Amino acid sequence: MYETIAFVDFDGTITMEDTLEGAIRLFATQEEFDRVKGKLAAGEMTLSQVVRYAFDGAPSDRLPRMMEYVEGVALRPGFPAFLDEMDRRGIPVVVVSGGVRQFVEKRLAPWRDRLLGLHAVDLDVSGPGMKLISPYDDGNELLKKTDVMALYDYRHAIGVGDSFTDMKMGMAVDAIFARDVLAKYLAKMGRPYLPYETFFDVNKALENGLVPFVWPV
């Protein structure tokens, strides 16, 4: 059992932009993108349905262009320093993403061996059309993060996230660092959270003892 574990989102958290959204924009018209995003906001489509609508059946030969885009996506400042801090404290880091595994592994390749785990959605491009594969798709989330969290044995959990896919995770961990959509949701739910803009902010909060079960060192 781990005393403390950190579950960290990828898109919009480790990265400065959502790679799923960016990859979709490469091939979708602005009109189509806005129409589908509007359906998500209105609750007419789930996140799982939106992503499958964009990827399932799309030509597999689009992947190289997507991977080229992902390689250039900026990381949120302080991510390597955050990993250093977690190593120093003996807190393992698990990346849990509702995005595409190829995207996550490509961008995090330099730090992959420093992660206890990396969970994302597989994109099958073995045929002419893409196909998303996720054993944790509950129809709402393409990858239900709380199901992935249940794979690990731990006493306390820290979460770091930013958006729709992190809402259940944000309610399930002991302490949650949140920004953007996730922060607004948690505030609405009356759930305390720690704001951040960079991973340096996360490190500072830990050092200042703002997470009660993680002592300053």
Side-chain angles (χ1 to χ4, degrees):
M1 173 182 284
Y2 298 103
E3 179 63 27
T4 303
I5 193 169
F7 294 104
V8 185
D9 173 52
F10 176 72
D11 283 306
T13 298
I14 295 176
T15 59
M16 291 295 287
E17 60 186 85
D18 189 313
T19 62
L20 268 182
E21 183 174 311
I24 292 169
R25 282 181 176 275
L26 291 175
F27 302 100
T29 65
Q30 186 65 45
E31 181 181 9
E32 179 70 357
F33 180 85
D34 290 342
R35 184 181 71 82
V36 175
K37 193 168 184 178
K39 285 182 175 290
L40 174 64
E44 297 173 11
M45 293 179 74
T46 67
L47 189 58
S48 174
Q49 290 171 331
V50 167
V51 179
R52 288 193 178 281
Y53 175 83
F55 281 89
D56 280 348
S60 292
D61 60 10
R62 290 180 176 179
L63 183 61
R65 176 68 185 92
M66 291 179 172
M67 296 296 283
E68 180 184 352
Y69 151 73
V70 169
E71 191 171 13
V73 171
L75 296 185
R76 190 165 298 279
F79 178 66
F82 168 74
L83 293 180
D84 291 341
E85 186 68 13
M86 294 298 99
D87 284 345
R88 191 166 71 95
R89 294 174 178 275
I91 300 175
V93 175
V94 177
V95 172
V96 190
S97 172
V100 172
R101 177 181 298 278
Q102 288 94 322
F103 296 177
V104 183
E105 290 186 339
K106 177 72 170 178
R107 197 63 190 87
L108 295 185
W111 303 279
R112 180 62 185 89
D113 62 352
R114 300 183 64 183
L115 304 174
L116 175 63
L118 188 158
H119 302 267
V121 179
D122 288 306
L123 183 61
D124 183 355
V125 292
S126 60
M130 296 178 176
K131 183 178 180 181
L132 291 166
I133 300 173
S134 174
Y136 303 108
D137 185 350
D138 67 352
N140 183 38
E141 297 179 65
L142 195 55
L143 184 141
K144 188 177 178 182
K145 296 188 178 183
T146 49
D147 284 355
V148 172
M149 292 167 61
L151 300 175
Y152 295 87
D153 191 15
Y154 55 89
R155 193 178 306 277
H156 297 291
I158 297 168
V160 188
D162 76 303
S163 195
F164 298 101
T165 63
D166 304 312
M167 291 177 175
K168 290 180 181 178
M169 178 181 78
M171 300 297 288
V173 294
D174 297 289
I176 181 71
F177 288 87
R179 53 177 298 277
D180 199 32
V181 172
L182 177 61
K184 293 174 183 175
Y185 169 77
L186 294 174
K188 181 179 179 181
M189 298 297 291
R191 170 72 158 98
Y193 69 90
L194 294 158
Y196 76 98
E197 284 301 324
T198 73
F199 280 97
F200 294 120
D201 298 329
V202 176
N203 284 356
K204 183 180 291 186
L206 293 172
E207 187 59 41
N208 290 340
L210 298 183
V211 178
F213 53 87
V214 178
W215 307 112
V217 293

